[in-house]
Amino acid sequence: MSDMEGMLVKPWEVQVSGYGYSQIPYHNTSRGGAIAEAWRSPAFEGLSFKDFLKIVRCVRAEPTERYGERFTINGRAARYISHNRQYVQFVYDGGKVVMNTHPLDIDQPEARRGTPYYDAPELAS
């Protein structure tokens, strides 16, 4: 279960009429911020924000199980947002800006799971 307590950044699902919806949620502090972030996509170049607002729909997305997980980066408290094969996306505790870090910058090895830099413990047989 995700740990959303104290999280300022939340996941948002943005759907744009005629364009479908984002497969990856936008992570922002507000619905308006998520909409503005989506509008900045090259797909909407040349479309005014006013016209974009006529075709966009934005709702809170369901957070992933690890969303908000607590860990530290070089001793500083951080919260998990997501990851890809190269980076872990996070916010510093109480922060509003989503940042990237290399998995090896994370102090707790178990917080690297899902990346190529996590060695799962061997199960005793």
Side-chain angles (χ1 to χ4, degrees):
M1 181 165 184
S2 64
D3 179 5
M4 297 288 291
E5 183 181 339
M7 288 286 293
L8 301 176
V9 173
K10 303 196 174 21
W12 299 92
E13 180 181 292
V14 178
Q15 298 177 349
V16 182
S17 181
Y19 293 86
Y21 66 95
S22 172
Q23 297 294 321
I24 300 171
Y26 287 86
H27 303 285
N28 212 295
T29 57
S30 69
R31 178 181 176 275
I35 290 171
E37 189 177 339
W39 174 66
R40 291 184 194 104
S41 166
F44 307 113
E45 191 174 322
L47 185 65
S48 73
F49 191 64
K50 179 180 178 179
D51 289 339
F52 184 73
L53 288 175
K54 294 175 184 175
I55 61 172
V56 70
R57 179 177 176 270
C58 182
V59 296
R60 282 282 298 278
E62 192 65 35
T64 62
E65 185 176 307
R66 292 187 60 195
Y67 199 90
E69 180 179 293
R70 298 167 193 266
F71 58 89
T72 58
I73 299 170
N74 298 320
R76 187 170 173 191
R79 307 287 292 273
Y80 175 90
I81 299 290
S82 65
H83 72 271
N84 56 34
R85 290 196 49 81
Q86 187 170 359
Y87 295 109
V88 173
Q89 289 74 40
F90 72 97
V91 293
Y92 282 117
D93 216 7
K96 297 179 181 180
V97 178
V98 177
M99 303 172 80
N100 289 308
T101 190
H102 191 277
L104 294 179
D105 292 334
I106 298 172
D107 298 331
Q108 299 80 9
E110 64 276 4
R112 301 177 194 145
R113 64 189 181 280
T115 73
Y117 300 93
Y118 176 65
D119 293 322
E122 297 294 323
L123 297 176
S125 42

